[in-house]
Amino acid sequence: MCHNGRMAATRTRRPERRREHPLSRERIVEAAIELLDTAGEGGLTFRALAERLATGPGAIYWHVTGKDELLHAATDAVVAAAVPPAAADTTPQDAIRATALGVFDAIDAHPWVGTQLARSSMDMDAPILRIFERLGRQVQALGVPRAVQFTAASALLNYVVGVAGQNAANARAVEPGTDRTEFLTTMAAAWADLDPEEYRFVRDIAGDLPRHDDRVEFLAGIDLILTGIAPRERPA
């Protein structure tokens, strides 16, 4: 009887479900990005990742050693997609603008990337180093003197990462579903009511606030920096 029961159990056991796609580091990183986008850094746990991938945490550890490595890999994947190499016929100015906008849009879509970039150092393989390299090559192509190339590239990098990160932070501070124009109009009215002696400039430009475009303003800042670092011809 027991023998027959064992045989019946063997015959009725459901076969182990095969994954449509084998687990890989790339799939893990893609799932981590999705999880970071929806739950933030605090929601990125190996348990949550294992549930999303329908696997066990042990299988994930086979490909990544821990959360720090996973955050690094996820950030690098987003940055790599955002700042591809410039085409051969692209001017240095346009290449810098494209890199800057790529980072701006990437951080806007994945706000956690801005936090990771702000935390990271210039260690080997750091995602922020990829951005610095892209900007630095174009600074060289502009003909900026060697003595100030580091300063020029650093100014661009700090502006790009800082402003993009601040823009994403501002967006997160607003309640979802808020009408942007209505929100900015209300803020502009508050600016216009500030003390005229202490906030003369802010009151003067308050009316511009509801009409401004963040990406346009961001690029305008890039152009100001490019104007400042462009080599100047010596007078004859």
Side-chain angles (χ1 to χ4, degrees):
M1 187 73 177
C2 290
H3 175 75
N4 291 339
R6 284 196 299 272
M7 290 296 293
T10 300
R11 287 194 299 270
T12 58
R13 184 181 299 156
R14 295 179 63 184
E16 184 177 339
R17 185 178 58 153
R18 294 182 179 179
R19 298 188 186 92
E20 293 182 5
H21 303 285
L23 190 64
S24 65
R25 182 181 174 88
E26 289 72 22
R27 282 195 64 221
I28 292 169
V29 171
E30 288 174 3
I33 291 171
E34 294 170 0
L35 197 55
L36 285 161
D37 287 346
T38 56
E41 185 179 338
L44 179 62
T45 66
F46 274 57
R47 181 184 297 275
L49 195 57
E51 291 178 359
R52 181 174 286 267
L53 291 166
T55 188
I60 298 174
Y61 279 110
W62 181 262
H63 296 276
V64 290
T65 59
K67 185 173 180 177
D68 286 346
E69 181 184 345
L70 192 54
L71 281 167
H72 179 284
T75 304
D76 194 47
V78 172
V79 169
V83 292
D89 59 347
T90 304
T91 66
Q93 293 90 339
D94 284 344
I96 288 173
R97 293 185 189 101
T99 295
L101 271 183
V103 174
F104 183 90
D105 290 340
I107 294 178
D108 186 53
H110 312 279
W112 51 272
V113 170
T115 303
Q116 295 305 310
L117 290 176
R119 287 178 184 169
S120 66
S121 63
M122 288 292 193
D123 294 336
M124 186 177 297
D125 277 346
I128 199 168
L129 198 59
R130 188 189 297 274
I131 303 170
F132 194 51
E133 175 67 20
R134 293 286 188 274
L135 295 172
R137 289 192 186 190
Q138 301 310 321
V139 165
Q140 290 178 327
L142 278 171
V144 173
R146 173 66 180 79
V148 293
Q149 286 177 6
F150 175 82
T151 301
S154 295
L156 283 165
L157 178 71
N158 291 333
Y159 175 84
V160 169
V161 174
V163 174
Q166 186 60 55
N167 179 74
N170 291 343
R172 293 200 305 276
V174 178
E175 289 293 327
T178 300
D179 181 88
R180 181 180 185 276
T181 302
E182 182 179 341
F183 175 80
L184 292 178
T185 299
T186 301
M187 183 179 290
W191 283 11
D193 285 338
L194 291 170
D195 183 274
E197 294 299 324
E198 190 173 1
Y199 293 101
R200 183 176 60 189
F201 169 75
V202 174
R203 284 169 51 93
D204 284 347
I205 54 88
D208 298 334
L209 184 63
R211 300 188 299 272
H212 88 281
D213 183 294
D214 293 327
R215 289 176 95 250
V216 171
E217 297 295 336
F218 174 74
L219 273 184
I222 291 292
D223 287 340
L224 285 174
I225 297 174
L226 288 175
T227 299
I229 67 176
R232 290 168 174 76
E233 294 184 4
R234 295 180 180 179

